[in-house]
Amino acid sequence: MSDKAVVEEVAVATTAKPSFWTRVKAHFRKWWWAHLIALVVVVLVVALPLVYVGYPNIAQGDISDSTLSVESMVISDPSPDRFQLNQRQVIGTDSIFHPKIYEFDAEVSLAGSPVFATVTVPSTRADDGVVVDINDQYVDLTDADAFAGFSTAVMMNEEFELNIYGRPGLKLGALPKIHVNYNKTVTMKGLNRLQGFGIEVHLDPDRDDGNNANGTVFIPNPSVLQLSMGNVTMDVSSNGTALGQSFLNDLVLNPGNNTVPMVAFLNNTRLFPILGALPEGVTTIPLTIVGSSSVYNGEEIPYFTAALAANTLNVDLDILEVLESS
Ligand SMILES: *[C@@H]1O[C@H](CO)[C@@H](O)[C@H](O)[C@H]1NC(C)=O
Ligand SMILES: *[C@@H]1O[C@H](CO)[C@@H](O)[C@H](O)[C@H]1NC(C)=O
Ligand SMILES: *[C@@H]1O[C@H](CO)[C@@H](O)[C@H](O)[C@H]1NC(C)=O
Ligand SMILES: *[C@@H]1O[C@H](CO)[C@@H](O)[C@H](O)[C@H]1NC(C)=O
Ligand SMILES: *[C@@H]1O[C@H](CO)[C@@H](O)[C@H](O)[C@H]1NC(C)=O
Ligand SMILES: *[C@@H]1O[C@H](CO)[C@@H](O)[C@H](O)[C@H]1NC(C)=O
């Protein structure tokens, strides 16, 4: 009985004064459209800056913080105004986002110098350890002088800085595609003046190709570059006396130590007096070797010639070896 009484009492009270929730419901039934507009406005006010300011900023920050390391760079089939490029590089990033990076054109330069070419970088995903391969791409030189400067810097330095610049498209999940600045300067090992260069010469008077000596050249290459330099000619002199030229045919400089055959023409009228004048017990003569040209498919390759010519190599030639086999 008493339970029923309570229920009735409550029912009466409800009719007389609507409860809080009933009033809320009534309010929304009448004003739902105003709330919907308010909600949409709030969502847009929060989401739009996130999508159009926050996301591009985060994406740009992550791209700027990412690293790039060049694992190999192969320059082949050179001509005065272009070459073939194969390059492998690895992306480093600690971002939790792994957006797609669209294929883009990257301007390449020696950091601080004019751009020498544009390279097409294939589409990839920005993730730690992702390998990006540039395969068999013919690269046209837009500034051959700048590339000669680059080649010379590679030849003459222990390290050089390669700059890569572009504006790739980037897309993360369902978010819109945006563009970011890709501006990376990669420090790479150079040829370091071919330090450690060595030469071994044997007189070979019976050759029928106009030369009179043969031998091997030892060329250390501490970089990750593989360079097809074609037929390389080097001027050989000793203490200011021009002795002749040595020829390295189809020189391909691989990373690491290279031992390559060479032939030479040495002017005996000049060489023998030098050997004859050697003091008792001295078995070496100083040689100065400077590259004078790189010729590939009959064309001189100015950028390789410039790099070779910039580097004067000084070695001691063991004359016992020279005469041993003559
Ligand atoms: C790339 O960054 C370097 C160093 O921060 C800067 O000097 C250069 O102007 C930048 N390149 C471009 C095209 O913005
Ligand atoms: C180099 O010359 C020596 C003679 O001095 C000869 O015995 C040798 O076969 C030659 N080597 C080559 C690769 O021509
Ligand atoms: C090098 O040449 C100069 C003269 O040109 C001479 O005085 C000097 O003795 C030479 N040195 C050697 C090691 O032959
Ligand atoms: C290259 O040759 C140098 C000198 O002979 C030697 O010290 C070095 O270990 C060699 N490097 C490789 C990778 O074989
Ligand atoms: C060799 O040297 C002599 C003496 O300097 C010179 O007269 C001659 O022309 C040179 N020969 C060649 C083929 O360069
Ligand atoms: C180097 O010279 C030889 C002989 O003249 C030639 O057969 C060869 O094709 C040349 N190599 C290159 C890469 O031009």
Side-chain angles (χ1 to χ4, degrees), residues 45 81 116 140 143 147 163 186 192 198 211 225 251 261 266:
V45 163
D81 49 16
F116 59 74
D140 290 315
D143 185 338
F147 191 58
N163 181 259
V186 184
N192 196 21
N211 295 307
L225 280 85
L251 175 63
L266 299 174

Side-chain angles (χ1 to χ4, degrees), residues 66-175:
S66 71
T67 58
L68 189 71
S69 67
V70 178
E71 308 248 298
S72 69
M73 185 189 272
V74 180
I75 292 180
S76 55
D77 198 14
S79 70
D81 49 16
R82 70 175 191 162
F83 57 83
Q84 192 179 44
L85 179 68
N86 280 273
Q87 187 169 320
R88 165 163 289 207
Q89 47 239 310
V90 177
I91 294 173
T93 172
D94 51 16
S95 170
I96 54 165
F97 302 113
H98 306 304
K100 172 183 173 158
I101 312 276
Y102 289 81
E103 176 183 293
F104 71 106
D105 283 341
E107 294 179 334
V108 186
S109 62
L110 180 67
S113 298
V115 169
F116 59 74
T118 298
V119 172
T120 303
V121 180
S123 170
T124 188
R125 208 165 57 90
D127 199 351
D128 198 39
V130 162
V131 173
V132 182
D133 278 322
I134 291 167
N135 291 320
D136 298 335
Q137 197 175 119
Y138 274 94
V139 174
D140 290 315
L141 295 173
T142 50
D143 185 338
D145 288 341
F147 191 58
F150 171 80
S151 304
T152 304
V154 170
M155 173 65 86
M156 300 304 281
N157 292 286
E158 195 173 339
E159 287 184 337
F160 64 95
E161 290 189 323
L162 179 73
N163 181 259
I164 299 167
Y165 176 81
R167 276 187 63 74
L170 175 151
K171 187 167 164 59
L172 181 64
L175 290 167

Side-chain angles (χ1 to χ4, degrees), residues 183-264:
N183 184 1
K184 286 282 157 240
T185 298
V186 184
T187 301
M188 293 176 66
K189 283 205 153 104
L191 296 175
N192 196 21
R193 298 168 174 261
L194 306 182
Q195 231 169 66
F197 178 92
I199 189 167
E200 195 189 288
V201 183
H202 305 289
L203 295 182
D204 186 6
D206 301 327
R207 298 187 68 89
D208 53 13
D209 60 359
N211 295 307
N212 61 6
N214 71 42
T216 52
V217 165
F218 176 75
I219 310 176
N221 172 5
S223 76
V224 297
L225 280 85
Q226 180 189 305
L227 305 170
S228 292
M229 301 184 81
N231 288 339
V232 169
T233 303
M234 302 196 291
D235 292 332
V236 180
S237 62
S238 182
N239 193 27
T241 301
L243 291 181
Q245 290 185 311
S246 110
F247 307 96
L248 309 179
N249 258 22
D250 290 326
L251 175 63
V252 177
L253 205 54
N254 287 297
N257 288 334
N258 296 263
T259 303
V260 295
M262 65 106 192
V263 294

